[in-house]
Amino acid sequence: MAKYFQIYLFVLLTAIAFYFAYRGYRRVYQNICLGKPEDLTDQPLQRWKNMLLVAFGQKKMFKNVIPAVLHLFLYVGFLITQVELLEVFLDGITGSHRIIYHAVENLPVLRTLYVGLISSIEIASVLVFIGTVAFLWRRFVLKVPRLNKPELKGFPIQDAATILIAEIYLLICIFSMNTADMALHEGKYGFAVSSVLQNLFHNWSHTSLTIMERIGWWGHYIGVLGFLVYLPYSKHLHILLAFPNTYFARLTPKGYVNNMPEITREIKLMMDPSATPPPADPNAPPPRFGAKDVMDLSWKNLLDAYTCTECGRCTAACPANMTGKKLSPRKIMMDTRDRLEEVGAAIAANGGVWKDDGKSLIENGYITIEELRACTTCNACVEECPVMISPLDIILQLRRNLIMEESNAPAEWTSMFTNMENNGAPWQFSQQDRLNWANA
Amino acid sequence: MKIRTYAEYAAAGETPEILFWVGCAGSFDQRAQKVTRAFAKILHHLNIKFAVLGTEETCTGDPAKRAGNEFVFQMLALQNIEVMNGYGVKKIVTTCPHCFNILKNEYPSLGGNYEVLHHATYLQQLIDEGRIKLTDTDRFKGKRITYHDSCYLGRANEIYEAPRRVLEELDAALVEMKSCRSRGLCCGAGGAQMFKEDEPGNKRINIARTEEALETQANIIAAACPFCNTMLTDGVKSFEKQDQVKVFDIAELIAAGQGLENIVL
């Protein structure tokens, strides 16, 4: 009876969680699809290589060794815990207990493999515990500067703490489950860490141990489901999106900024007096130069925004930020994501159709003009990002809109443009004097 | 030293080996003009047939593009491409990383396809080929040189070693700043910041970078970009260290090592 009740509860909880998770991930996917198309599928070999090295292999993390090692603990722990999760899942839907163990119990090689795997999960979990505590320590006690910048006030800090505490909770569950299970079976499984921990419970009754095992088992599974549902609302989504984001990262040199083909066409018409422009379509929407809102950005910029885990390596390396300017590349990514969430929610509330809300990604509580103007385009943020996000690409697209649609430029830039147009140099020197250096 | 333009080569029915793209700073900025002349002297000394566009050259459009004015950028770019394609330009060498980046990466899709080299790479090639021989390196003995990575040469195009290899020829001690190569700190000029006031903050970026340079106790800060050069020179002045610490372009240092330039350390 209890067995069938547990199966029923397991399936019900799983179904509810999957439903909400599906809605969460679908929302993220649909929002990313609001971006403009951009073909990023060339050179698949290079793309696989980037994904394997940078996402799977954590290559760029190792520029900062200490956080990289701590992060590696969590990453490896997360990856191999999936094996135990598989058994939890199979046990849950079949109402059995350690189904994989019992299947291999009498097969020495596979049994050793199983015990070895669970033991390594336990060891990894101890390392995850160390990593998680160290991360909480770095953020809240050491107050590492990049983890305590103004853009993190409010939900972002809460989100970070939630994830770290949830990880500790999951570890407690795993160890309660395995330790009680070991104590109940006189240590016959032989798991590495719980065989030590089980000594703490030698005087517990059979019932207490059974309850502890069940609490650990259910607590772990419910925690995992909660994680799954929470993930698409959290910066922690990077654990999934780091993979597509590195795969689809642009392969051009960092110095390359795309040329706008619509402007090339217009200038070629201007330069060729015999050309006749194609008839204008009176129903066409006015052309948009650069990006004013999230829908004007490429889908890759939007994927970048959802991939960002707010680590702030970009902001710590940003020359403008480190000299006290308002610009923070991380805030560019966070604002893009937050505005995208707002637009996505408005579209959903309006039956799938976008109705202009009079706001945009520039100002309106999002990215300010002052931030955009502070960028030196030095690419330090792009270089630092461990998952190949480009805040610079968004900054440049927003700058284009400010200049070409809003004519919003500092006075010095306006005269610079005029000089460039009139005398082919950013300063007011005559083009006829270009060779004067040779006569000095 | 006679500087010949592409038009003069064409009129004489000759083809130069390279186009030396001087750039706006190199043409008009008094400090950068010295770098232009130093590099021209090196080319001249090695009997390399080089041409400049002279009055036919205009800004590549980089500051406009980075500021967000794609229109002004493309207008200039398409003009420059028309001129260069008209002459059949094949190979360009420039002393400005901004010109280098935009000519190499952004001109091709507008119809301008050339082999583009920054002078750091070109000088390294000439050294490797044994064409540049330094005879006058005594003045560098016992000196410390620190190289400042330009963003548009370094991160933008991953050229980190060429300028260092060039400087190694000088027989001075090459010391690195706290942040260098892919983590080099910007001088503050890029993205058209050179042409406007800083946004409000608590420090200027060139001051932050100059602090790092001064920490190395170097006698010479080597730059490979006219804008970095200006920013660092200003930075050194603001610390009143201009008598002890000099900012030079790698071309000036090599020309001095060849005995072509008389620089004061």
Side-chain angles (χ1 to χ4, degrees):
Chain A
M1 189 58 210
K3 178 180 166 183
Y4 288 104
F5 174 72
Q6 287 201 38
I7 295 179
Y8 175 75
L9 189 64
F10 183 88
V11 172
L12 184 73
L13 282 176
T14 307
I16 292 172
F18 275 41
Y19 171 72
F20 283 106
Y22 164 73
R23 288 183 50 132
Y25 295 103
R26 191 187 57 177
R27 187 195 89 249
V28 169
Y29 177 75
Q30 285 173 339
N31 285 351
I32 291 171
C33 290
L34 293 175
K36 286 201 170 144
E38 178 180 1
D39 185 11
L40 292 165
T41 54
D42 60 321
Q43 305 178 57
L45 268 179
Q46 184 58 42
R47 293 181 181 282
W48 280 107
K49 197 176 141 201
N50 278 350
M51 191 173 83
L52 283 173
L53 285 177
V54 179
F56 192 74
Q58 311 270 294
K59 181 181 163 200
K60 292 185 83 182
M61 285 293 288
F62 277 87
K63 282 186 145 195
N64 294 359
V65 177
I66 293 171
V69 170
L70 294 171
H71 181 270
L72 190 69
F73 290 168
L74 269 71
Y75 171 65
V76 171
F78 171 78
L79 281 186
I80 66 171
T81 308
Q82 305 313 313
V83 179
E84 186 151 20
L85 192 61
L86 178 72
E87 188 172 37
V88 167
F89 189 80
L90 293 175
D91 284 346
I93 51 170
T94 57
S96 43
H97 181 71
R98 294 217 183 257
I99 189 170
I100 299 179
Y101 175 80
H102 288 111
V104 301
E105 201 174 5
N106 299 315
L107 306 165
V109 176
L110 288 178
R111 186 179 180 282
T112 312
L113 187 70
Y114 174 87
V115 173
L117 258 172
I118 302 291
S119 293
S120 49
I121 289 171
E122 289 196 342
I123 293 163
S125 298
V126 173
L127 295 176
V128 171
F129 182 76
I130 295 169
T132 312
V133 171
F135 279 159
L136 284 165
W137 186 268
R138 283 168 60 82
R139 191 179 283 265
F140 296 108
V141 182
L142 279 182
K143 293 199 179 292
V144 171
R146 69 177 160 90
L147 303 174
N148 285 278
K149 294 266 173 182
E151 66 265 24
L152 296 180
K153 289 229 170 73
F155 178 75
I157 286 271
Q158 187 197 314
D159 186 23
T162 305
I163 291 291
L164 290 171
I165 290 165
E167 269 156 18
I168 293 180
Y169 162 82
L170 288 173
L171 294 176
I172 292 172
C173 290
I174 287 185
F175 280 118
S176 309
M177 172 175 99
N178 282 2
T179 306
D181 208 10
M182 285 279 281
L184 279 169
H185 296 88
E186 286 88 39
K188 75 163 176 175
Y189 301 119
F191 302 149
V193 180
S194 48
S195 63
V196 180
L197 291 177
Q198 86 181 82
N199 298 324
L200 296 172
F201 304 98
H202 67 275
N203 54 355
W204 282 38
S205 71
H206 190 273
T207 317
S208 310
L209 287 171
T210 308
I211 291 173
M212 180 165 119
E213 192 278 335
R214 282 293 88 189
I215 289 178
W217 192 91
W218 278 103
H220 178 63
Y221 189 64
I222 292 169
V224 167
L225 291 181
F227 211 77
L228 191 70
V229 174
Y230 180 66
L231 209 51
Y233 298 91
S234 164
K235 74 187 189 82
H236 208 59
L237 193 52
H238 81 291
I239 61 171
L240 301 178
L241 296 189
F243 295 89
N245 205 60
T246 46
Y247 183 86
F248 291 114
R250 296 201 179 97
L251 301 176
T252 43
K254 288 194 189 69
Y256 170 77
V257 177
N258 73 317
N259 298 322
M260 296 169 68
E262 59 273 39
I263 287 186
T264 315
R265 276 194 299 275
E266 213 163 304
I267 294 173
K268 283 198 168 153
L269 281 175
M270 268 170 43
M271 284 168 79
D272 178 5
S274 65
T276 43
D281 176 0
N283 299 319
R288 161 82 11 119
F289 293 114
K292 188 184 172 81
D293 210 341
V294 286
M295 307 78 99
D296 307 323
L297 294 168
S298 148
W299 67 272
K300 179 59 173 63
N301 299 129
L302 305 183
L303 177 62
D304 274 359
Y306 274 122
T307 306
C308 175
T309 197
E310 301 169 10
C311 74
R313 282 169 177 74
C314 52
T315 295
C318 173
N321 191 276
M322 70 174 76
T323 54
K325 278 85 177 173
K326 285 230 175 81
L327 174 63
S328 162
R330 166 172 56 192
K331 181 176 173 290
I332 300 289
M333 303 318 298
M334 294 169 70
D335 285 347
T336 302
R337 181 200 56 208
D338 293 349
R339 171 63 182 160
L340 180 57
E341 285 278 300
E342 184 180 49
V343 168
I347 291 176
N350 194 38
V353 186
W354 168 240
K355 208 169 110 239
D356 193 356
D357 62 357
K359 297 207 254 169
S360 73
L361 181 58
I362 304 178
E363 299 290 341
N364 298 294
Y366 296 108
I367 302 167
T368 63
I369 294 170
E370 183 178 328
E371 290 164 64
L372 293 173
R373 284 190 189 160
C375 176
T376 69
T377 70
C378 78
N379 265 305
C381 55
V382 183
E383 178 74 34
E384 284 301 307
C385 181
V387 290
M388 303 175 94
I389 291 170
S390 174
L392 176 58
D393 192 58
I394 296 178
I395 293 173
L396 287 171
Q397 293 185 62
L398 296 175
R399 274 188 174 185
R400 279 177 174 170
N401 188 266
L402 276 184
I403 300 293
M404 290 190 288
E405 270 188 29
E406 309 287 331
S407 300
N408 187 331
E412 303 103 307
W413 275 4
T414 309
S415 29
M416 174 184 84
F417 298 144
T418 312
N419 289 333
M420 288 170 81
E421 277 182 85
N422 293 346
N423 45 280
W427 299 289
Q428 209 174 9
F429 289 111
S430 163
Q431 189 157 358
Q432 291 315 305
D433 294 338
R434 270 213 176 239
L435 203 47
N436 289 5
W437 62 268
N439 310 320
Chain B
M1 176 175 60
K2 173 83 182 89
I3 304 296
R4 295 174 71 190
T5 62
Y6 233 107
E8 288 164 348
Y9 272 97
E14 292 175 71
T15 312
E17 209 178 305
I18 58 168
L19 166 64
F20 171 21
W21 184 276
V22 180
C24 300
S27 302
F28 296 120
D29 180 90
Q30 288 193 348
R31 179 69 190 85
Q33 282 180 340
K34 290 188 185 170
V35 179
T36 308
R37 282 193 289 270
F39 186 61
K41 278 183 200 167
I42 298 174
L43 297 176
H44 189 77
H45 178 73
L46 300 179
N47 291 318
I48 293 166
K49 278 175 80 177
F50 72 97
V52 297
L53 287 178
T55 56
E56 288 187 284
E57 183 189 284
T58 72
C59 176
T60 56
D62 168 81
K65 184 169 180 109
R66 265 68 196 171
N69 200 330
E70 182 75 7
F71 201 85
V72 168
F73 155 64
Q74 288 204 15
M75 235 161 55
L76 294 167
L78 290 167
Q79 277 175 38
N80 282 325
I81 289 169
E82 200 168 79
V83 171
M84 288 193 284
N85 288 357
Y87 286 125
V89 170
K90 297 271 184 305
K91 183 171 177 179
I92 306 174
V93 180
T94 176
T95 46
C96 173
H98 295 263
C99 297
F100 163 70
N101 175 71
I102 208 163
L103 289 167
K104 174 174 169 286
N105 294 319
E106 289 158 23
Y107 273 41
S109 76
L110 296 173
N113 293 288
Y114 322 102
E115 182 192 352
V116 187
L117 296 176
H118 181 262
H119 72 312
T121 308
Y122 191 64
L123 288 173
Q124 189 215 318
Q125 288 176 0
L126 294 172
I127 290 168
D128 288 353
E129 288 164 13
R131 292 174 75 182
I132 288 183
K133 288 195 179 61
L134 301 190
T135 51
D136 210 358
T137 55
D138 286 352
R139 77 183 92 197
F140 296 108
K141 287 248 161 64
K143 300 283 182 194
R144 290 162 74 85
I145 303 182
T146 189
Y147 171 70
H148 163 79
D149 286 280
S150 144
C151 303
Y152 275 80
L153 201 57
R155 277 185 293 272
N157 291 291
E158 293 177 12
I159 297 176
Y160 301 113
E161 298 313 320
R164 289 178 169 80
R165 295 256 308 271
V166 169
L167 291 169
E168 277 166 12
E169 295 297 306
L170 295 171
D171 258 351
L174 204 54
V175 288
E176 292 294 348
M177 290 185 237
K178 187 172 78 184
S179 46
C180 60
R181 292 191 168 83
S182 67
R183 294 193 134 173
L185 179 62
C186 175
C187 72
Q193 296 293 337
M194 182 76 190
F195 305 97
K196 71 186 247 304
E197 279 306 311
D198 284 10
E199 298 307 310
N202 53 34
K203 198 187 250 184
R204 302 192 61 141
I205 296 171
N206 66 327
I207 300 297
R209 185 49 163 170
T210 307
E211 280 170 356
E212 291 191 356
L214 295 178
E215 273 167 26
T216 65
Q217 305 286 323
N219 315 88
I220 299 170
I221 302 173
C225 167
F227 301 106
C228 297
N229 194 322
T230 304
M231 286 303 209
L232 294 168
T233 304
D234 287 352
V236 170
K237 271 189 204 145
S238 78
F239 288 100
E240 296 182 347
K241 294 271 190 200
Q242 64 270 31
D243 295 330
Q244 298 101 297
V245 183
K246 309 278 179 184
V247 183
F248 284 112
D249 189 273
I250 56 170
E252 293 175 298
L253 297 172
I254 290 300
Q258 288 173 298
L260 304 173
E261 277 281 288
N262 188 26
I263 61 170
V264 185
L265 295 180

